[in-house]
Amino acid sequence: MSEDCIFCQIVAGDIPGRTVYEDDTVLAFLDANPLSPGHTLVIPKAHHERLNDTPADVASAVMSTLHELVPAVESAVDAPASTVAFNNGEVAGQEVPHVHGHIIPRFEDDGGRPIHVLVNDRPDISDDELDDIENDIVAEQA
């Protein structure tokens, strides 16, 4: 737990939250500043700032909970779709430094946009550069 983390304070019960799911590892609650009705956050109860810092078993529990909650959230607000996303680090837009997945119900003509519009200036990457990046990612896992 991190005393200055708002999500840790919700886990501890120091700040109220509208809990929609809870087990020993994961907590899910409605976002206090929703982008749409039903906007839900799914977090590990233990404090981990980024996915990179999260143990595999905990990350798996978060993803499993997302998998279970997406249809429930969509059904509850009669949404035909949802955007499920993580902002991983401050530069990526992560405002609370505690891992959290978003379930954002989507509706026809909601003004939302697809994930591919997050970046305005897409890089022009050659096939050789893509090959190098592929090899570097594989090497990082060794």
mmCIF file of all heavy atoms in Angstrom, residues 77-100:
data_model
loop_
_atom_site.group_PDB
_atom_site.id
_atom_site.type_symbol
_atom_site.label_atom_id
_atom_site.label_comp_id
_atom_site.label_asym_id
_atom_site.label_seq_id
_atom_site.Cartn_x
_atom_site.Cartn_y
_atom_site.Cartn_z
ATOM 1 N N VAL A 77 -25.214 -1.205 -18.822
ATOM 2 C CA VAL A 77 -25.502 0.138 -19.352
ATOM 3 C C VAL A 77 -26.009 0.094 -20.787
ATOM 4 O O VAL A 77 -26.112 1.115 -21.450
ATOM 5 C CB VAL A 77 -24.279 1.073 -19.220
ATOM 6 C CG1 VAL A 77 -23.926 1.282 -17.747
ATOM 7 C CG2 VAL A 77 -23.089 0.563 -20.013
ATOM 8 N N ASP A 78 -26.304 -1.126 -21.280
ATOM 9 C CA ASP A 78 -26.828 -1.339 -22.627
ATOM 10 C C ASP A 78 -25.898 -0.748 -23.691
ATOM 11 O O ASP A 78 -26.337 -0.075 -24.620
ATOM 12 C CB ASP A 78 -28.244 -0.766 -22.745
ATOM 13 C CG ASP A 78 -29.002 -1.341 -23.926
ATOM 14 O OD1 ASP A 78 -28.709 -2.483 -24.338
ATOM 15 O OD2 ASP A 78 -29.880 -0.632 -24.455
ATOM 16 N N ALA A 79 -24.595 -1.010 -23.525
ATOM 17 C CA ALA A 79 -23.592 -0.539 -24.484
ATOM 18 C C ALA A 79 -23.288 -1.642 -25.490
ATOM 19 O O ALA A 79 -23.078 -2.787 -25.108
ATOM 20 C CB ALA A 79 -22.306 -0.147 -23.757
ATOM 21 N N PRO A 80 -23.242 -1.307 -26.774
ATOM 22 C CA PRO A 80 -22.945 -2.323 -27.782
ATOM 23 C C PRO A 80 -21.457 -2.667 -27.883
ATOM 24 O O PRO A 80 -21.096 -3.633 -28.555
ATOM 25 C CB PRO A 80 -23.436 -1.674 -29.079
ATOM 26 C CG PRO A 80 -23.315 -0.215 -28.839
ATOM 27 C CD PRO A 80 -23.592 -0.020 -27.371
ATOM 28 N N ALA A 81 -20.608 -1.902 -27.207
ATOM 29 C CA ALA A 81 -19.158 -2.128 -27.303
ATOM 30 C C ALA A 81 -18.474 -1.431 -26.134
ATOM 31 O O ALA A 81 -19.110 -0.723 -25.345
ATOM 32 C CB ALA A 81 -18.625 -1.577 -28.631
ATOM 33 N N SER A 82 -17.164 -1.627 -26.042
ATOM 34 C CA SER A 82 -16.382 -0.928 -25.024
ATOM 35 C C SER A 82 -14.940 -0.809 -25.489
ATOM 36 O O SER A 82 -14.471 -1.585 -26.315
ATOM 37 C CB SER A 82 -16.437 -1.656 -23.679
ATOM 38 O OG SER A 82 -15.947 -2.973 -23.799
ATOM 39 N N THR A 83 -14.269 0.179 -24.944
ATOM 40 C CA THR A 83 -12.831 0.304 -25.115
ATOM 41 C C THR A 83 -12.202 -0.140 -23.806
ATOM 42 O O THR A 83 -12.602 0.316 -22.732
ATOM 43 C CB THR A 83 -12.433 1.766 -25.439
ATOM 44 O OG1 THR A 83 -13.004 2.130 -26.694
ATOM 45 C CG2 THR A 83 -10.918 1.919 -25.517
ATOM 46 N N VAL A 84 -11.242 -1.049 -23.902
ATOM 47 C CA VAL A 84 -10.535 -1.561 -22.725
ATOM 48 C C VAL A 84 -9.076 -1.162 -22.898
ATOM 49 O O VAL A 84 -8.467 -1.478 -23.919
ATOM 50 C CB VAL A 84 -10.680 -3.089 -22.612
ATOM 51 C CG1 VAL A 84 -9.926 -3.616 -21.396
ATOM 52 C CG2 VAL A 84 -12.149 -3.480 -22.551
ATOM 53 N N ALA A 85 -8.534 -0.434 -21.898
ATOM 54 C CA ALA A 85 -7.200 0.122 -22.097
ATOM 55 C C ALA A 85 -6.461 0.345 -20.789
ATOM 56 O O ALA A 85 -7.077 0.481 -19.726
ATOM 57 C CB ALA A 85 -7.309 1.448 -22.844
ATOM 58 N N PHE A 86 -5.144 0.388 -20.904
ATOM 59 C CA PHE A 86 -4.241 0.772 -19.819
ATOM 60 C C PHE A 86 -3.398 1.942 -20.305
ATOM 61 O O PHE A 86 -2.890 1.908 -21.426
ATOM 62 C CB PHE A 86 -3.269 -0.370 -19.475
ATOM 63 C CG PHE A 86 -3.886 -1.527 -18.771
ATOM 64 C CD1 PHE A 86 -4.524 -2.526 -19.487
ATOM 65 C CD2 PHE A 86 -3.814 -1.645 -17.400
ATOM 66 C CE1 PHE A 86 -5.085 -3.608 -18.853
ATOM 67 C CE2 PHE A 86 -4.364 -2.732 -16.745
ATOM 68 C CZ PHE A 86 -5.005 -3.721 -17.475
ATOM 69 N N ASN A 87 -3.215 2.954 -19.481
ATOM 70 C CA ASN A 87 -2.195 3.968 -19.708
ATOM 71 C C ASN A 87 -1.043 3.554 -18.805
ATOM 72 O O ASN A 87 -1.197 3.534 -17.585
ATOM 73 C CB ASN A 87 -2.708 5.360 -19.341
ATOM 74 C CG ASN A 87 -3.835 5.812 -20.241
ATOM 75 O OD1 ASN A 87 -3.777 5.616 -21.440
ATOM 76 N ND2 ASN A 87 -4.856 6.394 -19.659
ATOM 77 N N ASN A 88 0.087 3.207 -19.392
ATOM 78 C CA ASN A 88 1.190 2.601 -18.645
ATOM 79 C C ASN A 88 2.339 3.586 -18.520
ATOM 80 O O ASN A 88 3.253 3.600 -19.328
ATOM 81 C CB ASN A 88 1.643 1.316 -19.359
ATOM 82 C CG ASN A 88 2.550 0.475 -18.494
ATOM 83 O OD1 ASN A 88 2.307 0.327 -17.303
ATOM 84 N ND2 ASN A 88 3.586 -0.082 -19.086
ATOM 85 N N GLY A 89 2.272 4.440 -17.495
ATOM 86 C CA GLY A 89 3.294 5.449 -17.261
ATOM 87 C C GLY A 89 2.769 6.843 -17.543
ATOM 88 O O GLY A 89 1.824 7.031 -18.318
ATOM 89 N N GLU A 90 3.356 7.818 -16.899
ATOM 90 C CA GLU A 90 2.891 9.204 -16.987
ATOM 91 C C GLU A 90 2.884 9.733 -18.423
ATOM 92 O O GLU A 90 1.937 10.400 -18.843
ATOM 93 C CB GLU A 90 3.774 10.087 -16.102
ATOM 94 C CG GLU A 90 3.289 11.503 -15.990
ATOM 95 C CD GLU A 90 4.116 12.342 -15.034
ATOM 96 O OE1 GLU A 90 4.980 11.789 -14.319
ATOM 97 O OE2 GLU A 90 3.886 13.561 -15.014
ATOM 98 N N VAL A 91 3.923 9.435 -19.198
ATOM 99 C CA VAL A 91 3.993 9.920 -20.578
ATOM 100 C C VAL A 91 2.849 9.359 -21.417
ATOM 101 O O VAL A 91 2.394 9.993 -22.374
ATOM 102 C CB VAL A 91 5.371 9.582 -21.202
ATOM 103 C CG1 VAL A 91 5.408 9.898 -22.682
ATOM 104 C CG2 VAL A 91 6.473 10.336 -20.475
ATOM 105 N N ALA A 92 2.334 8.182 -21.043
ATOM 106 C CA ALA A 92 1.220 7.564 -21.762
ATOM 107 C C ALA A 92 -0.137 8.074 -21.273
ATOM 108 O O ALA A 92 -1.171 7.623 -21.749
ATOM 109 C CB ALA A 92 1.285 6.051 -21.615
ATOM 110 N N GLY A 93 -0.138 8.984 -20.299
ATOM 111 C CA GLY A 93 -1.391 9.536 -19.799
ATOM 112 C C GLY A 93 -1.878 8.937 -18.494
ATOM 113 O O GLY A 93 -2.986 9.233 -18.052
ATOM 114 N N GLN A 94 -1.053 8.110 -17.856
ATOM 115 C CA GLN A 94 -1.456 7.518 -16.575
ATOM 116 C C GLN A 94 -1.445 8.613 -15.510
ATOM 117 O O GLN A 94 -0.402 9.171 -15.190
ATOM 118 C CB GLN A 94 -0.509 6.381 -16.184
ATOM 119 C CG GLN A 94 -0.923 5.665 -14.927
ATOM 120 C CD GLN A 94 0.004 4.509 -14.572
ATOM 121 O OE1 GLN A 94 0.997 4.269 -15.244
ATOM 122 N NE2 GLN A 94 -0.323 3.809 -13.518
ATOM 123 N N GLU A 95 -2.617 8.929 -14.981
ATOM 124 C CA GLU A 95 -2.746 10.014 -14.003
ATOM 125 C C GLU A 95 -2.578 9.534 -12.569
ATOM 126 O O GLU A 95 -2.112 10.286 -11.724
ATOM 127 C CB GLU A 95 -4.091 10.708 -14.178
ATOM 128 C CG GLU A 95 -4.201 11.413 -15.527
ATOM 129 C CD GLU A 95 -5.573 12.005 -15.774
ATOM 130 O OE1 GLU A 95 -6.542 11.637 -15.061
ATOM 131 O OE2 GLU A 95 -5.685 12.836 -16.682
ATOM 132 N N VAL A 96 -2.977 8.315 -12.284
ATOM 133 C CA VAL A 96 -2.811 7.739 -10.947
ATOM 134 C C VAL A 96 -1.735 6.662 -11.058
ATOM 135 O O VAL A 96 -1.901 5.707 -11.822
ATOM 136 C CB VAL A 96 -4.120 7.141 -10.416
ATOM 137 C CG1 VAL A 96 -3.906 6.477 -9.057
ATOM 138 C CG2 VAL A 96 -5.203 8.222 -10.318
ATOM 139 N N PRO A 97 -0.628 6.803 -10.327
ATOM 140 C CA PRO A 97 0.464 5.834 -10.446
ATOM 141 C C PRO A 97 0.182 4.523 -9.713
ATOM 142 O O PRO A 97 0.865 4.145 -8.762
ATOM 143 C CB PRO A 97 1.665 6.585 -9.861
ATOM 144 C CG PRO A 97 1.064 7.525 -8.874
ATOM 145 C CD PRO A 97 -0.272 7.917 -9.435
ATOM 146 N N HIS A 98 -0.874 3.856 -10.129
ATOM 147 C CA HIS A 98 -1.283 2.545 -9.625
ATOM 148 C C HIS A 98 -1.908 1.859 -10.835
ATOM 149 O O HIS A 98 -2.827 2.427 -11.460
ATOM 150 C CB HIS A 98 -2.310 2.720 -8.504
ATOM 151 C CG HIS A 98 -2.704 1.471 -7.798
ATOM 152 N ND1 HIS A 98 -2.580 1.323 -6.428
ATOM 153 C CD2 HIS A 98 -3.247 0.310 -8.241
ATOM 154 C CE1 HIS A 98 -3.027 0.127 -6.070
ATOM 155 N NE2 HIS A 98 -3.445 -0.502 -7.169
ATOM 156 N N VAL A 99 -1.432 0.690 -11.204
ATOM 157 C CA VAL A 99 -1.940 -0.006 -12.382
ATOM 158 C C VAL A 99 -3.462 -0.025 -12.359
ATOM 159 O O VAL A 99 -4.065 -0.346 -11.330
ATOM 160 C CB VAL A 99 -1.414 -1.461 -12.426
ATOM 161 C CG1 VAL A 99 -2.125 -2.268 -13.497
ATOM 162 C CG2 VAL A 99 0.073 -1.472 -12.658
ATOM 163 N N HIS A 100 -4.064 0.333 -13.490
ATOM 164 C CA HIS A 100 -5.515 0.250 -13.590
ATOM 165 C C HIS A 100 -5.944 0.120 -15.038
ATOM 166 O O HIS A 100 -5.479 0.832 -15.909
ATOM 167 C CB HIS A 100 -6.220 1.431 -12.918
ATOM 168 C CG HIS A 100 -5.810 2.790 -13.395
ATOM 169 N ND1 HIS A 100 -4.590 3.362 -13.082
ATOM 170 C CD2 HIS A 100 -6.461 3.698 -14.150
ATOM 171 C CE1 HIS A 100 -4.512 4.565 -13.620
ATOM 172 N NE2 HIS A 100 -5.642 4.796 -14.284
#
